[in-house]
Amino acid sequence: MAKIVRLEPIAEEAEVATNSNLLSLLLHKDLDVLKECGGRGMCATCHIYIKSGMEGLSSINRREQRTLEVITSCKPNSRLACQTRVLDEGVVVELPPGMYVQSLKDIEDLIGRRAEQDLLHPITGEVLVEQGKIITRSMMVQMEDTKFEIGDYFNQSSDF
């Protein structure tokens, strides 16, 4: 039996099969979710917030908990869409604000413009460029050491 899930701030409702994960719903709605780890709960590129209905979802497993611990934008209502299964009605998902940056090239193309929204690191959720700030070449130099490759990131972390 399908369950209805509401997506905010886009104010859309969608059906998802009972026990399906929220990532499948986001992909079905053609939302740009990076899913760098292929849905294994290791990269946090499908990080979402549960606005209401947490009791209608599967509980957090150990892998998801460990991944959430490295996200700087993590809140008590944070979940990974790939690990979160819908079990009941009343779930409202809040999509995180900001654009996830996959490479320095994504930012380089925006030099000289104001960031329309926070530009976020795809793994940690760290704000790379704040909304309203002008994206400059000097910001690019400061971010040269930023790791965007999921494998590189987890190889340097002893927590995983």
Side-chain angles (χ1 to χ4, degrees), residues 6-22:
R6 182 161 179 82
L7 302 173
E8 294 292 345
I10 62 174
E12 286 189 32
E13 288 188 348
E15 274 191 6
V16 62
T18 301
N19 209 31
S20 289
N21 67 33
L22 287 171

Side-chain angles (χ1 to χ4, degrees), residues 92-103:
V92 178
V93 174
E94 183 181 347
L95 304 172
M99 181 183 99
Y100 286 90
V101 176
Q102 297 180 49
S103 70

Side-chain angles (χ1 to χ4, degrees), residues 23 27 32-40 43-46 82 150:
L23 180 60
L27 294 175
D32 189 22
V33 181
L34 298 177
K35 64 186 184 323
E36 288 290 318
C37 71
R40 295 180 312 200
C43 71
T45 56
C46 66
C82 69
I150 184 102

Side-chain angles (χ1 to χ4, degrees), residues 21 37 39-43 46 54 57-69 78-85 160:
N21 67 33
C37 71
R40 295 180 312 200
M42 296 174 58
C43 71
C46 66
M54 189 74 83
L57 301 171
S58 60
S59 54
I60 296 177
N61 63 39
R62 184 179 167 145
R63 176 177 286 167
E64 181 180 7
Q65 183 61 48
R66 289 175 62 181
T67 301
L68 288 171
E69 288 171 359
S78 288
R79 292 297 304 265
L80 299 180
C82 69
Q83 300 297 300
T84 306
R85 300 197 172 280
F160 289 89

